């Protein structure tokens, strides 16, 4: 058996092939797993659990079927769906986890997260992240009319895309020192995250030992998962 990790699907109504690929993944790969962990950005945008988007209901139903078969699903918020709340999680049968979590997998301790907090060289992004994660700002935003929330989210997404065009690839990647500090703080030698859209498994040299950083790919033209077994950590791509 195996435990599966995915991230950065960015599900939205404009790319039905990705949604179809995800539903097939749930019916095929996830059905054989011990557990499924979604490490953020399951959706391309999330403006509140009260958004009556049919896509959200379809995904929730598919995830709940996984839970009903005895396969637990866990969710860590990403930078696109950080407002996903308890209401949707309950509908989907998912367990919400904190931004950083150590999980036990077949005798191994693995640190999981979305990954954006490791990109500390992108000062502008980190400043924006702190602002939108302010509980007061979130409370106020979620009480705006749905139509206004849609406009605000679209405007923020466009501004983010424009800003990223002028940033170097290095700035938008994780900071190596931040990775080392995080691994040592949690006392683990394996880290799994998404966010950067740079799928790879890296060797990280810390002060005390050698560690592994596994990065998930984004679901643009194919799906990605990390499969952890008792003996291996594998990064796997597959067609939709």
């Amino acid at each position: 058996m195996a435990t599966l990790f995915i991230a950065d699907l960015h599900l939205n109504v404009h790319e039905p092939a990705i949604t179809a690929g995800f539903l097939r993944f749930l019916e095929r790969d996830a059905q054989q797993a011990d557990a499924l962990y979604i490490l953020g950005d399951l959706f391309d945008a999330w403006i509140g659990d009260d958004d009556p988007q049919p896509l959200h209901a379809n995904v929730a139903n598919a995830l709940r079927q996984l839970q009903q078969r005895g396969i637990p699903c866990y969710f860590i918020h990403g930078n696109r769906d950080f407002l996903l709340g308890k209401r949707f999680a309950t509908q989907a049968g998912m367990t919400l986890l904190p931004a950083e979590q150590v999980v036990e997998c077949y005798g191994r301790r693995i640190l999981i997260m979305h990954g954006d907090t490791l990109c500390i060289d992108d000062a502008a992004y980190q400043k924006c992240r702190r602002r939108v994660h302010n509980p007061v700002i979130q409370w106020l935003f979620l009480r705006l009319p749905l139509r206004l929330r849609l406009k605000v989210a679209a405007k923020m997404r466009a501004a983010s895309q424009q800003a990223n065009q002028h940033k170097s690839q290095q700035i938008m990647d994780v900071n190596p020192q931040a990775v080392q500090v995080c691994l040592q703080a949690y006392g683990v030698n394996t880290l799994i995250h998404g966010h950067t859209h740079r799928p790879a498994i890296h060797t990280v040299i810390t002060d005390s030992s050698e560690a592994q950083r596994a990065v998930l790919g984004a679901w643009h033209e194919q799906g990605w998962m990390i499969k952890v077994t008792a003996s291996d950590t594998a990064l796997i791509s597959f067609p939709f």
Side-chain angles (χ1 to χ4, degrees):
M1 297 297 286
T3 297
L4 306 182
F5 301 82
I6 60 174
D8 301 300
L9 284 74
H10 298 275
L11 299 179
N12 64 87
V13 297
H14 304 294
E15 298 182 273
I18 299 178
T19 301
F22 176 55
L23 297 179
R24 281 194 292 272
F25 165 81
L26 292 179
E27 295 172 355
R28 182 188 60 189
D29 300 274
Q31 297 286 350
Q32 309 301 319
D34 289 325
L36 172 65
Y37 288 84
I38 304 173
L39 306 187
D41 286 0
L42 173 61
F43 295 97
D44 196 44
W46 194 267
I47 60 171
D49 289 7
D50 59 336
D51 185 356
Q53 180 75 248
L55 169 65
H56 300 167
N58 292 339
V59 171
N61 290 336
L63 287 168
R64 174 161 285 282
Q65 290 177 22
L66 200 65
Q67 182 209 40
Q68 291 171 344
R69 291 179 64 92
I71 302 166
C73 179
Y74 303 93
F75 180 83
I76 288 180
H77 294 95
N79 59 294
R80 297 293 189 93
D81 50 17
F82 59 88
L83 289 175
L84 189 149
K86 294 180 180 179
R87 174 176 161 183
F88 179 82
T90 299
Q91 292 173 347
M94 298 191 306
T95 300
L96 298 179
L97 297 179
E100 299 174 354
Q101 178 76 32
V102 174
V103 297
E104 297 281 345
C105 284
Y106 317 109
R108 300 163 56 191
R109 299 178 70 249
I110 300 175
L111 174 61
I112 58 174
M113 62 178 66
H114 179 57
D116 57 335
T117 54
L118 298 172
C119 302
I120 60 175
D121 294 327
D122 191 345
Y125 170 79
Q126 295 300 333
K127 180 179 179 180
C128 178
R129 186 184 188 281
R130 288 191 295 270
R131 184 166 62 248
V132 299
H133 279 76
N134 184 311
V136 175
I137 291 178
Q138 292 185 4
W139 186 89
L140 291 171
F141 177 80
L142 290 173
R143 277 150 186 81
L144 294 174
L146 186 64
R147 182 176 298 180
L148 184 53
R149 275 181 270 157
L150 284 168
K151 290 182 178 180
V152 172
K155 185 176 180 180
M156 291 181 63
R157 189 160 56 250
S160 175
Q161 291 173 347
Q162 183 176 12
N164 287 343
Q165 292 177 359
H166 303 288
K167 295 178 182 178
S168 70
Q169 293 297 313
Q170 182 177 358
I171 285 179
M172 292 190 291
D173 202 357
V174 302
N175 177 282
Q177 286 70 42
V179 171
Q180 292 180 354
V181 168
C182 204
L183 287 166
Q184 292 174 339
Y186 283 95
V188 299
N189 57 18
T190 303
L191 165 64
I192 298 177
H193 71 83
H195 181 66
T196 62
H197 301 184
R198 302 178 185 188
I201 295 182
H202 304 271
T203 298
V204 180
I205 305 300
T206 67
D207 292 340
S208 56
S209 63
E210 184 177 284
Q212 184 181 67
R213 178 171 70 93
V215 188
L216 285 155
W219 290 40
H220 291 319
E221 299 177 353
Q222 59 189 344
W224 290 91
M225 66 175 168
I226 287 175
K227 184 176 183 179
V228 174
T229 63
S231 59
D232 190 30
T233 298
L235 175 65
I236 301 170
S237 64
F238 50 91
F240 292 145

